[in-house]
Amino acid sequence: MSSVGLETPEFEPLSVSCALCLLGEHQHLLGAGSVHIATNLRVRVKVTECEDEFSLSVGGSAPEGEGEAEGGAAEELEGPVPADAGGAVLDPVAGRLPWPDPTPVSQFVARWEKALSGDILNEPELVAGLNIEVDFGPLWYICPPQVLLMSPALAVGLAVAGTSLRGQAPAYAELAELARRLRAEVVAQDGADATRCYNDALMGITGGAAYVERGADLLNVQQLLPPESFILALASGVGPEDGADEHCRVVRQALRKLGEAGRCVSGTGDEADLSRVFELCGDVLDERETAMLYGLMRARQMVDSLLEDLVGPFVDNDRLAEVCDEESAILADYFGFPAEPYDRVRAAAAEAGALGAKLTWAFGSYPAVIILAPGRREEVLGSLCVRFPEARFLAVDTDPDGLVRGDEVVGESGGELQGC
């Protein structure tokens, strides 16, 4: 895994990878980790100092670098934004996916400005006179701005912008935590679960694929993942996660009740703990608490079992796909994930040769699915584009580079973005 050093006060344009959670959603509630991949979907940030007040402009550019960031602090976007895709496979005519949140861009800009100049950085004057330009690339013409403007990758870029230009040099874990805290300020009004942003932020900084657990070293899991196999599917007609805080509250309440009753479980997902959870149903826990806690512990058991393959000579892609499918069922059944818009997509992907699919929240809040299609990605991608023209499908790869200087060459995985 490679990354850029932040020891110099001279700020250059930088690029941050958008990370995705492949396995282990909500495992932070148990104090456990999750598997994340840094992708070749990137956010670029440019910062300059000026005489004016703080300003933040957002927009996108073509995959091949044509076009410039557009927008601004006062811009309010309505409906799809047509764009020239620079001859790439992406279809600009299809337009941006709809999103039920009508919050204008200007309000998000104001939230970020407040977060950056508030108590989190401890120096309100730190961002005065900063002009920040954010380029979401082709994602700007696909994803709702309300999603991109709450993304962990953007949080990382702005965290760097608020520190490194003026000489601060936070370590990577500290930078990820700063990004999490900044994003928490921005999403607080929307009732989203800001705690899980840390792992995505850290992977966006370090790059590669890893098992991430707060307070522990990253465990490289790249050998478990088949190369050139992932497709990110974004359905039309989905919305923000419903009741994220409520789901987290139920799990935390269940753990607290167990502790108060002196009936703690380790949360590791071993068979004894899984059986004990059901034994406590009706006595200490209600049915909902039991189901959600069991689901998380079962998912952790599967992830831990898969990680054991890191020491083996062979990688079982079928097993990885099975874990993805089973955890997706847990998310849909117990954590309110809006899986229905993806039922037909997942079935069609399987018919075209995909091994499995994992429900996830792309860019922090967009309900999406990562399709696993080793050796069949082009065929599966082409089939899905024909069958579901209202959706968006992107071939994504693990990017070994996380946080890099914008004028440096990103690895081959940062090349042309394929999709429809």
Side-chain angles (χ1 to χ4, degrees):
M1 299 180 185
S2 61
S3 50
V4 63
L6 302 177
E7 66 278 357
T8 172
E10 297 182 1
F11 189 92
E12 299 179 25
L14 61 82
S15 173
V16 182
S17 169
C18 293
L20 296 172
C21 179
L22 183 61
L23 297 170
E25 303 277 358
H26 300 300
Q27 288 297 311
H28 63 280
L29 298 173
L30 297 178
S34 47
V35 175
H36 292 251
I37 58 174
T39 74
N40 55 330
L41 305 174
R42 306 187 69 85
V43 177
R44 290 171 171 80
V45 179
K46 179 181 179 182
V47 182
T48 55
E49 291 192 276
C50 59
E51 299 292 334
D52 300 326
E53 297 179 355
F54 172 87
S55 64
L56 172 62
S57 60
V58 296
S61 62
E64 297 180 353
E66 299 181 8
E68 298 178 353
E70 59 185 6
E75 184 186 18
E76 297 185 334
L77 302 180
E78 297 181 359
V81 176
D84 178 6
V89 184
L90 295 172
D91 181 8
V93 178
R96 182 179 286 134
L97 290 163
W99 193 247
D101 182 0
T103 305
V105 168
S106 58
Q107 288 190 23
F108 282 105
V109 171
R111 293 185 195 181
W112 280 112
E113 179 178 6
K114 181 180 178 181
L116 286 166
S117 60
D119 295 335
I120 292 179
L121 289 179
N122 297 319
E123 296 185 53
E125 72 282 1
L126 200 61
V127 298
L130 291 189
N131 175 44
I132 304 177
E133 300 173 54
V134 179
D135 178 3
F136 289 101
L139 291 176
W140 185 250
Y141 308 114
I142 299 171
C143 298
Q146 294 86 352
V147 171
L148 296 177
L149 287 169
M150 293 195 300
S151 64
L154 175 61
V156 170
L158 295 183
V160 176
T163 56
S164 67
L165 180 62
R166 296 179 178 173
Q168 298 187 22
Y172 291 154
E174 294 173 350
L175 183 59
E177 175 60 19
L178 176 59
R180 185 201 68 78
R181 293 170 60 200
L182 287 171
R183 183 175 179 269
E185 289 288 306
V186 173
V187 305
Q189 301 177 43
D190 300 309
D193 175 20
T195 57
R196 67 178 179 222
C197 165
Y198 175 87
N199 289 1
D200 276 341
L202 186 58
M203 286 307 302
I205 296 168
T206 64
Y211 175 79
V212 187
E213 185 175 344
R214 297 187 71 173
D217 293 335
L218 298 181
L219 177 63
N220 191 329
V221 300
Q222 186 63 60
Q223 72 181 71
L224 292 178
L225 310 181
E228 299 182 352
S229 62
F230 295 121
I231 299 170
L232 179 64
L234 306 170
S236 179
V238 299
E241 182 180 358
D242 185 23
D245 281 349
E246 172 63 13
H247 295 137
C248 293
R249 185 196 64 79
V250 171
V251 174
R252 291 189 175 107
Q253 176 177 282
L255 294 172
R256 184 175 62 255
K257 289 167 68 174
L258 290 176
E260 292 173 350
R263 307 285 293 275
C264 295
V265 294
S266 67
T268 59
D270 59 38
E271 293 297 338
D273 266 356
L274 290 172
S275 299
R276 193 173 298 117
V277 168
F278 280 107
E279 293 172 0
L280 298 173
C281 183
D283 180 16
V284 178
L285 306 177
D286 62 29
E287 290 187 5
R288 184 185 182 193
E289 293 166 342
T290 301
M292 294 181 70
L293 187 56
Y294 174 84
L296 279 185
M297 293 172 61
R298 171 59 182 151
R300 181 171 180 181
Q301 181 187 58
M302 292 186 295
V303 173
D304 287 347
S305 178
L306 192 65
L307 292 177
E308 294 175 0
D309 286 351
L310 284 172
V311 299
F314 303 107
V315 177
D316 188 345
N317 293 334
D318 289 323
R319 188 171 174 215
L320 172 62
E322 290 172 0
V323 174
C324 288
D325 286 334
E326 188 165 348
E327 186 180 13
S328 295
I330 291 171
L331 292 175
D333 293 343
Y334 304 142
F335 288 88
F337 192 101
E340 185 175 355
Y342 291 103
D343 288 345
R344 292 176 56 238
V345 171
R346 295 167 67 188
E351 292 176 6
L355 288 183
K358 165 62 172 55
L359 298 174
T360 191
W361 285 273
F363 318 115
S365 59
Y366 198 101
V369 64
I370 304 171
I371 297 169
L372 182 64
R376 296 278 301 173
R377 183 166 69 176
E378 290 188 9
E379 294 86 345
V380 173
L381 182 62
S383 176
L384 292 175
C385 288
V386 172
R387 295 188 61 173
F388 304 97
E390 74 286 354
R392 306 291 181 271
F393 301 95
L394 301 173
V396 297
D397 293 306
T398 303
D399 197 327
D401 298 294
L403 178 62
V404 298
R405 299 201 185 282
D407 55 0
E408 289 184 353
V409 177
V410 179
E412 293 182 1
S413 57
E416 180 177 305
L417 181 65
Q418 294 184 337
C420 55

